[in-house]
Amino acid sequence: MAPPEWNFGHVAGICDVSFVGSGDEALLVTCGADNAVTVRNPETLEIEESFTEEHDDAVNVLAVRPDGAKFATGSDDNSVKLFNFAGASREFESNVVRFTLPVRALAWSADGAFLAAGGEDNAVKVVKMDDKSVALDLATRSKCVKSLAFDPKGDFLGAVDDAGVLTVWALKAIAAGDDDDADMSDGDDDAKKGSTEPGEIVLAATVAPMTEPDSCEVNRACWRPDGAVIAVPGREHDVTFFARGTWTELENHRLIAEDGSEGKGHGENVVLAQWSPNGKYLLTSAKDHTVCVWDVKERKVINFIKHESTVCGACWRQTGNAVALVDGDGQWTLWKNPVPPSGFTGPTTQIDAAELDFFEAEEPLAPLAGGMGDEVMDGEVNVASEDEEDMGDMDEEQYYSELERRKRMKRKLAKSAQGAAVAAAPTPQPPFQVGSVPAKTAKDDAGNDANGSTRRFLCYNMIGSVVSTGEPGGDFNSVEMAFHDTSRGGRIPTITDYHGYSVGCLGERGCALASPAKQSGGSSVLFYRPYESWTHKSDWSITLPVGEDVVSVATGKDWVAALTSGRMLRIFSHAGAQRQMVQLDGAPVTAAGKGDSLVVAWHASAPALVPDAADPKALRVEQRIEFAEYDVANGGKVLSKGRIPLPPGSTLTWLGHVEDGNGAVAFGASDGCVRVRTSEFGGSWTPVFRSQDARQQEGEHHWTVAVSVAESALYCVVGGNANGPAVHPRPVLTPLPLGMPVALPDSSSGELENAAARAQLCVALASAAAAGDTAGFRDDVDPAGAAVDALRAAQTEADKALLRLFHAACKGERPARAADVASALNLTTSMHGALKLANAMSQNVLAERVTNLIEASMAAATAAAEVEAARAYGGAAELDTPGQAPQQHYSQPAAYVAPSQATQPEKDSNPLGRRRSVAPATDENADAPKVSAKVKAGYEANAAPAKKGRVANPFARAR
């Protein structure tokens, strides 16, 4: 039989192929790395439609709706697009969903109502196609989903990732026993009790080969048309099957080469598996450039072809005996008669269900003697003896087959027991860099960590960004810095990175970078470049001791701090001089700095398993993280310290300072909530933003950059990836309004309550700054004066919000609540405004109470002014008489009388009275009202100075 003829259709790269349309009129549609989607006549090879402008980058995958009327495409431009191919209408229809990273996998449900999409975004989105809404957002633990497959019955969705993990999610609630294919034997009580919820993982098995996100090894799994079995590429050059319902691996029916001869199977890892329309045959492709057609029940190859490149896409024709193929070089072909016409049933011919149930002949791995309760004890596996009585009547072949089966059972039980023991201990959150997008790592052949993406943000904050770019196979990377405010300075020279910087911080006066220690034996390096310097060589670098890696860096006004894996906090000056080395109490998590303030977070203890608030029977991991805020300019004085209240099940994702100049500390968690610390209640945290309230659509994430309470805004990057934005397209900094989870009283408005709560929080933060409880950040103005002005402005805004609440309470006939609101007003003028509102609304009793508040406020203000005046007079230094030596301050006995001093009448002792003669000297320790400088010197404003006499001069020497 002559091999099929291959034709070039796209440039080299990931390609895909399918049939669009129905019946004999179906056309061939392909996509590739040239950004094009092409529709051809498979018989004449002529191009009938070509879509080249819809996608801006390589098109990796396509999926045709089961009725053949529409198809969807996924691309490196992070988008999924829909094309209409019904009748004469052949055009781009609409965008379906957008990701932040390339799309690698697509799949339609059997009824065409849902489309599943995944890729490098650590998530699979199941889109409801009638309104393009995301019905389910399924999180993945790998860095890339390579293939997706809908269960033909619509109950499950399977996915295979680049790490080789097969994951099957439930798409709907399934009660125990509802799945017809589940094997619910009488002894399987746990299976009877269980039930499945939408989005729950029912199977997670590492069976497929490891691959790269952008490789042609697509790890494509496929459900059999009846939905009873899913076929997955294996790691031993084979194909593995899992049974629906029981989710057990059918080890005895793997498709594997009988020997090394060609045509008997594959010699390298399998790339894809594709069932024939009737489910009798399975087409597979492998890295050895072979394509095989298997009779699955007989477990043998009935036909194969040898090609010059890896076939990465395949699709059976729904009529006839043909399959379309496409390879990694962009070539495609239509392989006719892949199932030999003579001696074999056609791939589209209807067959009896009995011909498909190849795995029912296999005896399931039954529990061994002693029951499951005796098999695993204290982490050890106890398997029944291999010479049990039930093996005595077996012949030699049956004996060794049963012996091998029991050995496999023993290995499985040991693995499950070991996995359960490991899962019982929760792991602490790893350290991270604030404002940095995590690197997507993969294991290369040597076992080393290799960066999966060539461009990522080492830092993205309110000042600017730091981007690391690496060329594949290059010996160095390049680090580029850019300011958001282009008027701040000229272009910053690019840094050539020979160390492999993994964390960075764009600070107020310079940029800090750090690299981990290399596996070859190199040490971790800390590098710093100032924006401006008076020297010609201002860059500096520090090499850390062997075995100590920098995990987080922070910068401030004139310092640079580094957190290391050795639980050390190392602080350097702006010029690189070592200032301090501090041993942390636990494993470091992250650090952030601004001005003179440095905030450090570390693990106080190991994480704990606590009951879930929604389901007390379920356990959630609670991270135990503490923080400390230091004033670096004041010898590391501790400004605040305590526990970071992370909710169970969440991790710390952001730590920093509020962008209001008051130095307040804030943090963000993976639950989407941002909290700000105030000095009230001994130092407490207040939630100011919840992502679930601000989310516009399902699957939307808000990557925190900064928070401003005064402006009532959270500055973030909105996208579909919670780990951070991609470098391209350039992320947009979006301000979102803050919203506090206020409780809503009756006859009130949530908006009013929210505004009042935010305003009161601003007052608390401004009060702490005015009292000097935080490190100062504003050196361009008088810090004390700026803090007082900020406090006054915050009080004014808070009183405006409170007056609106006061008015709402009056309208709702809640005078008691209105009185409580009035008591929270900060300014006397605001209280007068409340009094006017009460009188205008004929609330006489309320007006009386507000009047009492005004009087009490004025009395308190008068008392405070008097105390302040007395304190100011007592602390002021007396002026010296011109021409005389400075007065020595010393105490005299109470009975002491100065020589030559005459006692004056009481009426002349008033120091503020008009002098006609020089007043006698008085005791310098006695309290007296403050007088002007001229009066102290013996002068009056409108009279000639009195004639000085020896006796009258209190500073004259006595004779």
Side-chain angles (χ1 to χ4, degrees):
M1 185 180 297
E5 181 181 352
W6 292 82
N7 306 278
F8 279 100
H10 303 277
V11 299
I14 301 177
C15 299
D16 203 1
V17 63
S18 188
F19 285 99
V20 63
S22 59
D24 296 335
E25 303 297 327
L27 301 176
L28 197 67
V29 56
T30 60
C31 65
D34 53 359
N35 312 354
V37 179
T38 306
V39 180
R40 293 180 174 85
N41 188 312
E43 304 299 336
T44 63
L45 310 183
E46 294 181 357
I47 297 177
E48 297 200 1
E49 296 289 343
S50 182
F51 305 95
T52 59
E53 298 181 357
E54 282 69 21
H55 283 289
D56 299 329
D57 212 331
V59 184
N60 301 314
V61 62
L62 62 86
V64 178
R65 201 169 71 176
D67 61 1
K70 297 182 179 182
F71 66 88
T73 56
S75 169
D76 273 357
D77 63 7
N78 314 334
S79 67
V80 177
K81 298 181 181 293
L82 183 66
F83 296 82
N84 189 355
F85 224 75
S89 176
R90 300 179 177 182
E91 59 185 0
F92 165 73
E93 182 175 303
S94 65
N95 292 315
V96 178
V97 68
R98 188 168 183 84
F99 292 81
T100 57
L101 292 173
V103 181
R104 303 289 183 188
L106 294 174
W108 285 91
S109 61
D111 57 2
F114 296 92
L115 176 70
E120 300 183 31
D121 264 21
N122 306 106
V124 173
K125 296 182 180 181
V126 180
V127 182
K128 190 177 181 181
M129 293 304 293
D130 57 357
D131 58 0
K132 306 298 188 298
S133 63
V134 178
L136 283 176
D137 195 341
L138 308 173
T140 62
R141 297 182 179 180
S142 64
K143 67 178 181 179
C144 179
V145 175
K146 295 289 290 184
S147 70
L148 291 168
F150 263 101
D151 161 32
K153 297 183 179 180
D155 295 335
F156 303 101
L157 175 67
V160 183
D161 57 35
D162 59 333
V165 178
L166 167 65
T167 305
V168 178
W169 292 277
L171 300 179
K172 60 180 70 172
I174 302 175
D178 285 355
D179 197 339
D180 297 336
D181 299 290
D183 184 13
M184 299 295 181
S185 61
D186 294 338
D188 196 359
D189 295 334
D190 293 337
K192 291 182 178 180
K193 295 177 183 178
S195 60
T196 306
E197 298 297 328
E200 182 178 341
I201 296 177
V202 297
L203 172 64
T206 304
V207 292
M210 295 182 64
T211 181
E212 293 295 327
D214 55 353
S215 72
C216 294
E217 302 157 31
V218 293
N219 274 357
R220 184 162 297 171
C222 186
W223 291 86
R224 202 169 67 179
D226 62 355
V229 179
I230 184 172
V232 190
R235 291 194 168 187
E236 300 179 2
H237 313 163
D238 62 337
V239 178
T240 302
F241 301 97
F242 286 85
R244 175 198 180 96
T246 61
W247 307 114
T248 55
E249 182 179 354
L250 307 176
E251 291 190 359
N252 289 346
H253 281 278
R254 295 186 302 161
L255 299 184
I256 192 169
E258 298 177 0
D259 50 40
S261 60
E262 190 175 66
K264 300 296 184 179
H266 298 293
E268 293 190 42
N269 286 336
V270 176
V271 172
L272 62 84
Q274 194 77 24
W275 289 95
S276 63
N278 61 4
K280 182 175 177 60
Y281 306 104
L282 187 71
L283 181 140
T284 58
S285 167
K287 290 178 63 178
D288 60 0
H289 305 167
T290 58
V291 179
C292 296
V293 177
W294 300 75
D295 186 325
V296 179
K297 191 170 185 178
E298 299 297 330
R299 298 171 57 197
K300 67 177 182 180
V301 177
I302 61 173
N303 200 357
F304 81 98
I305 59 173
K306 180 73 174 178
H307 187 43
E308 59 188 18
S309 181
T310 301
V311 172
C312 56
C315 181
W316 289 86
R317 197 166 188 172
Q318 296 301 310
T319 59
N321 185 2
V323 62
L325 305 174
V326 66
D327 64 14
D329 290 336
Q331 300 181 87
W332 67 273
T333 189
L334 184 65
W335 184 16
K336 297 182 179 181
N337 297 324
V339 177
S342 59
F344 295 94
T345 305
T348 59
T349 304
Q350 289 293 111
I351 59 177
D352 295 333
E355 295 188 44
L356 301 180
D357 295 335
F358 61 88
F359 61 92
E360 287 193 355
E362 177 184 7
E363 182 182 353
L365 295 178
L368 302 178
M372 291 298 294
D374 298 330
E375 290 162 2
V376 181
M377 297 180 61
D378 299 329
E380 297 183 358
V381 179
N382 187 14
V383 181
S385 174
E386 296 168 355
D387 57 350
E388 292 285 348
E389 296 180 359
D390 58 353
M391 298 175 63
D393 297 333
M394 297 181 180
D395 58 22
E396 183 177 0
E397 182 178 356
Q398 291 175 335
Y399 178 87
Y400 285 106
S401 176
E402 176 65 12
L403 188 64
E404 182 64 25
R405 187 189 71 82
R406 297 194 176 199
K407 287 182 179 180
R408 291 199 308 271
M409 187 68 179
K410 180 177 179 179
R411 289 195 299 268
K412 282 191 173 184
L413 292 175
K415 185 182 295 184
S416 62
Q418 182 180 7
V422 173
T427 57
Q429 174 185 353
F432 70 97
Q433 175 66 38
V434 175
S436 176
V437 177
K440 294 175 293 181
T441 58
K443 297 290 183 180
D444 56 21
D445 295 335
N448 301 321
D449 286 340
N451 197 350
S453 60
T454 57
R455 288 175 63 85
R456 73 179 183 97
F457 284 111
L458 296 182
C459 177
Y460 188 93
N461 56 21
M462 295 295 287
I463 298 176
S465 61
V466 180
V467 177
S468 174
T469 303
E471 297 295 335
D475 297 331
F476 61 88
N477 298 339
S478 60
V479 178
E480 302 173 357
M481 294 181 289
F483 296 120
H484 297 317
D485 183 6
T486 56
S487 64
R488 178 166 182 167
R491 180 181 179 275
I492 303 176
T494 300
I495 299 174
T496 302
D497 174 17
Y498 294 99
H499 302 284
Y501 297 128
S502 58
V503 296
C505 178
L506 200 64
E508 302 169 34
R509 299 182 59 190
C511 175
L513 303 170
S515 66
K518 294 180 174 56
Q519 296 182 356
S520 58
S523 300
S524 179
V525 176
L526 173 65
F527 173 84
Y528 184 75
R529 169 172 286 182
Y531 304 142
E532 298 177 353
S533 178
W534 54 275
T535 62
H536 67 282
K537 189 175 182 180
S538 56
D539 300 353
W540 54 267
S541 62
I542 300 270
T543 301
L544 271 67
V546 177
E548 191 174 347
D549 287 353
V550 177
V551 296
S552 181
V553 293
T555 64
K557 183 171 63 177
D558 56 1
W559 52 267
V560 179
L563 280 181
T564 71
S565 58
R567 300 188 177 185
M568 293 287 293
L569 170 63
R570 297 180 177 271
I571 301 178
F572 305 88
S573 69
H574 181 69
Q578 297 193 54
R579 285 189 174 180
Q580 192 72 343
M581 290 178 289
V582 180
Q583 187 73 50
L584 299 179
D585 296 337
V589 178
T590 191
K594 189 174 183 182
D596 293 327
S597 173
L598 169 63
V599 183
V600 180
W602 66 87
H603 287 283
S605 61
L609 291 174
V610 298
D612 189 3
D615 183 8
K617 295 182 180 180
L619 297 179
R620 306 290 293 275
V621 178
E622 183 181 49
Q623 301 288 337
R624 307 292 177 85
I625 299 178
E626 291 186 354
F627 84 101
E629 181 186 7
Y630 304 102
D631 188 350
V632 179
N634 195 15
K637 175 185 176 182
V638 178
L639 300 175
S640 58
K641 190 175 183 179
R643 176 85 171 270
I644 296 181
L646 288 171
S650 63
T651 56
L652 185 67
T653 58
W654 180 81
L655 182 69
H657 296 85
V658 173
E659 296 287 327
D660 298 338
N662 52 40
V665 180
F667 79 90
S670 58
D671 64 347
C673 187
V674 177
R675 298 166 175 87
V676 175
R677 188 181 188 276
T678 68
S679 58
E680 297 180 336
F681 290 91
S684 58
W685 298 88
T686 302
V688 297
F689 178 83
R690 294 198 304 178
S691 181
Q692 62 182 7
D693 297 336
R695 193 172 293 143
Q696 298 292 331
Q697 59 182 356
E698 190 70 23
E700 181 178 283
H701 295 281
H702 305 114
W703 193 68
T704 304
V705 178
V707 60
S708 174
V709 179
E711 299 177 3
S712 184
L714 176 86
Y715 294 93
C716 64
V717 176
V718 181
N721 191 351
N723 292 327
V727 176
H728 180 77
R730 187 173 182 83
V732 178
L733 197 61
T734 304
L736 297 179
L738 299 183
M740 303 175 68
V742 295
L744 185 61
D746 51 352
S747 70
S748 183
S749 168
E751 183 178 354
L752 293 179
E753 297 287 345
N754 202 349
R758 290 198 309 266
Q760 291 292 81
L761 178 62
C762 288
V763 172
L765 299 180
S767 299
D773 294 339
T774 58
F777 300 130
R778 307 180 63 172
D779 299 327
D780 55 335
V781 296
D782 174 36
V788 172
D789 292 343
L791 175 59
R792 182 77 176 187
Q795 290 175 339
T796 302
E797 293 300 321
D799 284 358
K800 290 180 181 179
L802 289 174
L803 285 175
R804 296 189 188 98
L805 275 182
F806 181 87
H807 183 251
C810 291
K811 290 179 63 178
E813 297 182 355
R814 299 287 182 176
R817 183 183 300 165
D820 288 344
V821 173
S823 64
L825 293 171
N826 300 280
L827 305 176
T828 306
T829 54
S830 303
M831 295 182 183
H832 284 286
L835 179 60
K836 291 182 180 180
L837 281 173
N839 289 327
M841 303 186 74
S842 300
Q843 298 279 352
N844 297 330
V845 179
L846 177 61
E848 183 179 351
R849 288 186 173 273
V850 175
T851 301
N852 294 337
L853 289 174
I854 295 174
E855 293 175 354
S857 176
M858 294 178 66
T862 302
E866 292 177 352
V867 172
E868 184 66 24
R871 184 185 297 111
Y873 173 75
E878 295 186 4
L879 297 178
D880 297 323
T881 303
Q884 301 292 331
Q887 182 180 359
Q888 297 182 359
H889 295 274
Y890 58 92
S891 300
Q892 297 286 1
Y896 175 79
V897 179
S900 306
Q901 285 186 353
T903 302
Q904 297 293 330
E906 183 177 355
K907 63 180 181 179
D908 294 333
S909 63
N910 185 4
L912 300 179
R914 210 172 162 78
R915 273 194 211 173
R916 302 212 177 261
S917 61
V918 178
T922 59
D923 186 2
E924 62 180 357
N925 294 318
D927 292 336
K930 189 175 180 180
V931 297
S932 65
K934 287 189 175 182
V935 173
K936 279 193 172 185
Y939 295 96
E940 293 187 13
N942 298 321
K947 186 176 181 181
K948 293 183 180 180
R950 183 180 300 274
V951 178
N953 187 358
F955 304 101
R957 179 178 299 176
R959 294 187 178 182

